Amino acid sequence: VGYEFHPLLMAKITGTINYVSGGRLGVNIVAAHDPVDYAQFGFEQARTPAERYEIADEFTTLLKYLWTSEHPIDFEGDYFRTRGGQINPRPASKPRPLLINAAGSDLGIDYACRQCDAIFISARDRTQEAYAAMAEKIHSTAASYGRKVRICAMCYVVMEDTDEKAAETVNWLADEVDIDALKNQFWRNKPVYHQDQGEADDPYLGLGLDWFRARGLGMGGYQLFGSYETVADQLAGLHEAGVEHVALCFFDPNKGVQQMGEHVIPLLRERGLRATS
Ligand SMILES: Cc1cc2nc3c(=O)[nH]c(=O)nc-3n(C[C@H](O)[C@H](O)[C@H](O)COP(=O)(O)O)c2cc1C
């Protein structure tokens, strides 16, 4: 939202897709921070965190009015204005489409807890304990506003018949990580800093082996690696940690979706974590 796309445009696009899909659209609000992205949109510099979340707040408030109001609305904010703003068709989802966010900062989490329905969490050490602590913090912040916000985790999944086979695949994938893509992601907005630190010559880009592999295998998301039983156990662990949704990313999506349906979901049903019908 930092690039000042007008909420009316976003309400029209998302409202229409939600309507024609019978409600199968939610919106992930990103309060962008990357200076390269700002430059591409013609801004001289990235906005400060405080400004990004002020814009996000106002954007979300107006978006909600536009999605839900049966009448044209007037809105006068610091960043956005509309006179007689209205969309048609309105979303099929009632009261409105799902709003999700992936803030990491305290400021961002505060915004998400006030304005969104769900939040993606991540923790650098990728353990059940670290995710439980994040989930607890978010649930209690939301509760302080009298709200309930659901916790989501983005996961990278590599599954095989056995743990050993999955480990082989993971090792092979780790050897094949696209170093240039990772370098671009990490250095494009801070090349001088990293080169000054001598990190240009470091095969792990100054991240250390563990975090380098985590970024290369799933962008730092929670890693679900192993047999179907192991993956089901790990998903049950996330559930125990307070995670209420998962976005699963597969190395091979066609195979991964099939493996989930045939092998993992039945195991989750046995554990009472999926509806039985
Ligand atoms: C599914 C998903 C999609 C994301 N898409 C973007 C994106 O398009 N652009 C971006 O800068 N960050 C994206 N992010 C990362 C964070 O949402 C974003 O960097 C956020 O501003 C970080 O939190 P902070 O503002 O509290 O520091 C995405 C994260 C997730 C989980």
Side-chain angles (χ1 to χ4, degrees), residues 13 42 109 115 120 161 202:
I13 293 171
I109 288 172
Q115 290 276 30
F120 279 108
D161 292 336
D202 179 344

Side-chain angles (χ1 to χ4, degrees), residues 146-182:
R147 300 190 73 237
K148 168 97 182 75
V149 169
R150 294 172 72 82
I151 308 291
C152 316
M154 204 173 71
C155 305
Y156 187 61
V157 194
V158 180
M159 279 184 284
E160 301 286 0
D161 292 336
T162 62
D163 286 338
E164 292 69 30
K165 244 175 108 178
E168 265 175 43
T169 307
V170 168
N171 284 332
W172 169 72
L173 282 170
D175 289 341
E176 295 292 319
V177 164
D178 184 341
I179 310 274
D180 286 336
L182 274 186

Side-chain angles (χ1 to χ4, degrees), residues 6-254:
H6 199 285
L8 182 71
L9 173 67
M10 286 299 150
K12 279 181 185 284
I13 293 171
T14 56
T16 302
I17 298 173
N18 185 282
Y19 176 81
V20 298
S21 65
R24 292 178 61 84
L25 170 131
V27 173
N28 181 29
I29 302 273
V30 177
H33 63 267
D34 190 330
V36 175
D37 292 348
Y38 278 95
Q40 287 180 340
F41 280 99
F43 292 91
E44 289 298 316
Q45 57 191 41
R47 295 174 183 280
T48 64
E51 206 180 2
R52 294 196 280 119
Y53 283 104
E54 267 173 31
I55 298 173
D57 232 338
E58 202 176 292
F59 180 98
T60 313
T61 299
L62 181 50
L63 181 65
K64 286 177 181 173
Y65 279 135
L66 290 165
W67 271 342
T68 56
S69 176
E70 289 178 19
H71 307 290
I73 58 164
D74 293 344
F75 184 95
E76 192 77 35
D78 292 329
Y79 299 94
F80 305 107
R81 279 160 288 286
T82 182
R83 232 171 275 300
Q86 157 176 55
I87 63 165
N88 194 2
R90 289 206 306 280
S93 298
K94 299 297 172 210
R96 57 167 174 76
L98 183 95
L99 279 168
I100 194 161
N101 178 257
S105 61
D106 286 347
L107 204 58
I109 288 172
D110 186 75
Y111 152 80
C113 287
R114 285 183 293 102
Q115 290 276 30
C116 298
D117 306 303
I119 178 164
F120 279 108
I121 61 168
S122 57
R124 186 153 171 164
D125 70 2
R126 304 179 312 287
T127 60
Q128 189 179 325
E129 293 72 29
Y131 273 64
M134 283 292 292
E136 168 55 32
K137 176 181 167 176
I138 287 162
H139 280 145
S140 62
T141 306
S144 74
Y145 293 116
R147 300 190 73 237
K148 168 97 182 75
V149 169
R150 294 172 72 82
I151 308 291
C152 316
M154 204 173 71
C155 305
Y156 187 61
V157 194
V158 180
M159 279 184 284
E160 301 286 0
D161 292 336
T162 62
D163 286 338
E164 292 69 30
K165 244 175 108 178
E168 265 175 43
T169 307
V170 168
N171 284 332
W172 169 72
L173 282 170
D175 289 341
E176 295 292 319
V177 164
D178 184 341
I179 310 274
D180 286 336
L182 274 186
K183 275 186 188 164
N184 282 338
Q185 197 204 0
F186 279 99
W187 289 351
R188 66 182 197 155
N189 55 4
K190 38 187 179 319
V192 177
Y193 168 77
H194 282 281
Q195 277 157 20
D196 284 354
Q197 305 286 310
E199 289 165 3
D201 299 327
D202 179 344
Y204 307 124
L205 311 179
L207 305 172
L209 173 63
D210 182 56
W211 188 231
F212 172 83
R213 279 183 61 145
R215 298 297 308 195
L217 298 176
M219 301 288 293
Y222 201 90
Q223 293 173 327
L224 302 176
F225 296 162
S227 65
Y228 308 121
E229 286 76 13
T230 300
V231 168
D233 286 345
Q234 289 172 328
L235 283 167
L238 279 177
H239 175 77
E240 227 171 86
V243 172
E244 294 152 305
H245 296 283
V246 283
L248 302 180
C249 309
F250 300 101
F251 155 59
D252 177 344
N254 285 332

